[in-house]
Amino acid sequence: MPPETAALPATARRSTAPVAAPAGTRPDAAADELAGLDALQTQRTRRTSATEVLRSKVAPPLVALLFALLTWQLLVAVLGPRPDVVPGPVDVARQLGVLLSDGTVLSALGTSLWRGLSGFLIAVAVATPLGLLVAQWQGLRNAVGPLISGLQVLPSVAWVPAAIIWFGLSDATVYFVVLMGAVPSIVNGMLAGVDQIPPQLRRAGHVLGASGWTMASRIVLPAALPGYVAGLKQGWAFSWRSLMGAELIAIGGSIGFGLGSLLAQGRTVSNMAVVMVAVLAILAVGILVELLFFNPVERRLLRGRGLLGHRS
């Protein structure tokens, strides 16, 4: 026995001995068993073909939309209401063609999209460091946490009169209302994500010397991404709704003509077809942003954490 081994305690000498496979077990069979265990721990994902995407993701909502339109047209044909009160899909499509030909819908859509996206990005830039700061300091969270939750519950449309008094009929009014609708939701999403972080991650960060902003940006934020992305998703919904409410109420001055303004115009002239065009455009933007941006981001995040399995 080598002198180094002899100097070790008996328990240490026993632990360094190779572990023998059970009697009757071939080495390659044991290796296969270990490979099987590794396969159980590793989530394997496969690329989904275009046909599968069309069948599972695109076809169901299109079929539901077609069914809703047919039901709508059938009810209008059977009940025969006044077209200016309850227009059918054909009447709405005809009105949409008129508004497309003179550029009204495209101009309103571009104005609202620019306001919504820019206001949302500003809200993200404000809410992200604010959420990290509140999450890092328990005393600050105890002080402002209930206020942030209260602001999230408060309808953002309630800020429109105050914003008009402060900023007049200008774009600043619209952006203020959007920020007041989106920022509390994003901050609360960040706080919810931080609450779900295992405490071992923070302790490991402290051991490695992370503190302050390094701890927040390198450890806390990546670990809180699921809750943070959920807060971003809710923040976008609040900002889009807040924008429509602001455009619907604050009309005139230097405020541009958006989808909310188109909705108010249809109400003013008692043209329900114009109202339905505006409502459907607002709904389409919300659905497209959800499907084209937030759903892929959520799927990629969950897939990277092994939470989607074989789903695409």
Side-chain angles (χ1 to χ4, degrees), residues 131-132 134-135 141 148-149 152 184-198 202 220-221 223-232 234:
L132 287 173
V134 174
R141 182 170 182 176
I148 294 174
S149 298
Q152 184 179 5
S185 298
I186 299 174
V187 172
N188 276 335
M190 173 69 74
L191 296 179
V194 171
D195 289 341
Q196 298 171 6
I197 297 177
R202 289 180 179 271
V220 174
L221 181 58
L225 276 181
Y228 177 58
V229 172
L232 291 178
Q234 190 176 29

Side-chain angles (χ1 to χ4, degrees), residues 50 58 84 154 193 203 256 265 274 312:
V58 179
D84 59 333
L154 178 68
R203 289 199 291 267
Q265 184 184 74
V274 174
S312 58

